[in-house]
Amino acid sequence: MKIVKTIAVLSLVLPALAFAQANTPRVDQRQVNQEQRIDQGVASGSLTQREANRLDRGQQHVDSMENRAKSDGVVTRGERARLHQAQEVQSRRIYAQKHDRQHDFNHNGRVDRPRRR
């Protein structure tokens, strides 16, 4: 009888432990922050819609990498490092696109460039 109870308890606890190993709160929070940076860039006009779409596709790529890493129930140290590196690349891309000379301040879908004098 003890063996049956032990097996029942283990069958309930082990999946919970495996799920706990697959949590990636830092990755999730960084994804949210980067998506907010993209949205803010569109709202302010520092990102054109085309740039924002391209950056969103990059964010989706990082999401799919995270889902693949979580698929077996454990995110290894190497998988975390690859996720971190992919997020670093995305962060640099967001910064570069927000600070280039392409703007859409009037939100008409066309790139606004400063006039030459």
Side-chain angles (χ1 to χ4, degrees), residues 98-115:
K98 284 180 75 172
H99 292 88
D100 63 2
R101 293 181 59 110
Q102 297 173 0
H103 301 286
D104 188 14
F105 294 124
N106 56 7
H107 303 289
N108 65 354
R110 295 183 181 172
V111 176
D112 300 331
R113 294 202 170 112
R115 294 182 185 205

Side-chain angles (χ1 to χ4, degrees), residues 56-107:
D56 283 335
R57 281 194 304 275
Q59 291 297 109
Q60 289 171 357
H61 175 73
V62 175
D63 280 338
S64 67
M65 286 178 64
E66 181 183 7
N67 291 337
R68 280 194 306 266
K70 288 180 175 182
S71 66
D72 62 352
V74 177
V75 180
T76 65
R77 185 176 289 173
E79 289 170 333
R80 285 184 197 278
R82 281 190 291 279
L83 284 169
H84 178 71
Q85 178 61 29
Q87 286 182 321
E88 281 293 315
V89 168
Q90 276 304 110
S91 181
R92 281 189 233 112
R93 286 180 180 161
I94 293 168
Y95 178 86
Q97 292 300 315
K98 284 180 75 172
H99 292 88
D100 63 2
R101 293 181 59 110
Q102 297 173 0
H103 301 286
D104 188 14
F105 294 124
N106 56 7
H107 303 289

Side-chain angles (χ1 to χ4, degrees), residues 27-71:
V27 173
D28 295 336
Q29 184 59 50
R30 189 161 183 191
Q31 286 292 97
V32 168
N33 292 345
Q34 289 182 348
E35 288 169 6
Q36 287 175 348
R37 287 173 58 200
I38 294 169
D39 293 340
Q40 184 275 331
V42 170
S44 71
S46 63
L47 286 174
T48 65
Q49 193 59 48
R50 187 173 184 175
E51 290 172 334
N53 291 340
R54 191 176 305 124
L55 292 171
D56 283 335
R57 281 194 304 275
Q59 291 297 109
Q60 289 171 357
H61 175 73
V62 175
D63 280 338
S64 67
M65 286 178 64
E66 181 183 7
N67 291 337
R68 280 194 306 266
K70 288 180 175 182
S71 66

Side-chain angles (χ1 to χ4, degrees), residues 1-15:
M1 192 65 174
K2 280 187 168 183
I3 293 174
V4 174
K5 287 182 182 179
T6 305
I7 292 173
V9 168
L10 286 176
S11 66
L12 294 174
V13 172
L14 287 178

